[in-house]
Amino acid sequence: MKARRSAVKIVLICFAICFCWGSLQRMQVLSRLVPGIQSKSVSAASTRKLAAVVQPQKTMGRGTLRKIDHNSLHHTKGAWWLESWFHFSFASYYNPKNMNFGALRVINDDYIKGPSGFGKHPHRDAEIFTYIVEGQLSHEDNMGNKEALPRGCVQYLSAGTGITHSEFNHDKETVRSLQIWMTPDSRGHTPQYGSSRYIKDDRHNKLLLILGGTTAAPSWQGVAPGKGIKLHQDANVFVSECDAGTKFNIELGAKRQAYLICIEGHLAVNDETMVTRDAAEAVADDSEPMQLQLEALQKGSHFMIIEMVKS
């Protein structure tokens, strides 16, 4: 009798295990077929992660500064050839509390193995630019533009009424790039493409203006003028590659904000220390400018500043 009861228990336990395993498998398949299921799961996990590593805003005189630790970025491997860190909600990663920073909508830190890349795909009503950090990235679009750009160069695409393009790594060396999207000042612009080539000396211990906007760029200490690409947005984009000890004292104007990215190395922003892939949000007061002190630490720093109207 006892043996029979034990046998029944074993059968019930096995049935429960099989049921749970089958349910798990069905959920995994369903999450692939219905992205919304995966998005909600990622959002909840990411919200908890962000709460643990995103620093609270600190008041800096007339403004606030918030550091975003690289561990809070959404890390994903979209394919055998692609590894990315998302600063904001993108693709299957959806977090309603992390959609944008003013007009800044997307920052994807992409690693693209070759030979592969993003095949032809459409865009509309977005200001898109790509900054190449490592390797050489090739662009081709339906307007006849085709070129490959190396480290330190920038590709710009104003999608406007619609454009189709591809981005590809044709080499064995892995490409690292920052792809950044901003919302335009209005819909329906005529599509356009632009690019600028730079060498290290152009940004070495300087704030190189690689993209301008609809208003004049700030006249900060150490600014070097770029080659004239203009965004359909009140925003300006600077990059710098600095030796250790290089400092910049900049003033973020009233009703302005900036997003800073430590691309490589170590960077101090006021009393915050940033390492590779860390970011920071700086927001000035509506009536007074905000002071920011930047210093390259240790072996130097390669960083980007996206300055824009406050919204």
Side-chain angles (χ1 to χ4, degrees), residues 89-236:
S89 294
F90 187 81
S92 63
Y93 164 55
Y94 173 71
N95 181 353
K97 296 181 179 180
N98 189 32
M99 296 299 296
N100 64 292
F101 178 65
L104 186 57
R105 176 61 189 86
V106 170
I107 300 179
N108 293 346
D109 192 338
D110 293 328
Y111 285 73
I112 306 168
K113 294 180 181 179
S116 196
F118 301 97
K120 291 183 179 179
H121 57 281
H123 290 288
R124 185 183 180 94
D125 290 319
E127 301 292 292
I128 302 171
F129 59 95
T130 304
Y131 182 70
I132 295 91
V133 181
E134 298 171 4
Q136 184 167 271
L137 187 64
S138 296
H139 164 95
E140 185 173 359
D141 62 48
N142 62 345
M143 297 187 295
N145 300 297
K146 184 178 181 180
E147 67 175 337
L149 294 174
R151 177 181 173 90
C153 299
V154 60
Q155 297 172 340
Y156 163 66
L157 190 67
S158 181
T161 55
I163 193 170
T164 301
H165 80 131
S166 64
E167 293 165 299
F168 220 82
N169 175 12
H170 293 289
D171 301 324
K172 292 182 179 180
E173 179 185 359
T174 297
V175 167
R176 181 188 175 195
S177 64
L178 296 178
Q179 182 166 112
I180 299 167
W181 300 9
M182 301 191 77
T183 55
D185 54 6
S186 63
R187 299 172 65 87
H189 285 293
T190 300
Q192 61 177 332
Y193 173 80
S195 65
S196 294
R197 293 178 177 268
Y198 298 104
I199 60 174
K200 182 178 178 179
D201 187 60
D202 294 326
R203 62 184 177 275
H204 186 215
N205 295 335
K206 306 167 190 173
L207 293 172
L208 175 64
L209 179 66
I210 58 172
L211 293 118
T214 56
T215 60
S219 53
W220 293 335
Q221 163 209 357
V223 167
K227 298 179 180 178
I229 296 178
K230 295 289 185 180
L231 296 162
H232 291 299
Q233 183 53 260
D234 187 357
N236 301 280

Side-chain angles (χ1 to χ4, degrees), residues 13-32:
I13 291 170
C14 291
F15 176 79
I17 292 171
C18 291
F19 178 80
C20 292
W21 176 252
S23 298
L24 177 61
Q25 293 296 313
R26 286 192 294 274
M27 283 300 296
Q28 289 175 343
V29 171
L30 189 58
S31 69
R32 292 174 183 269

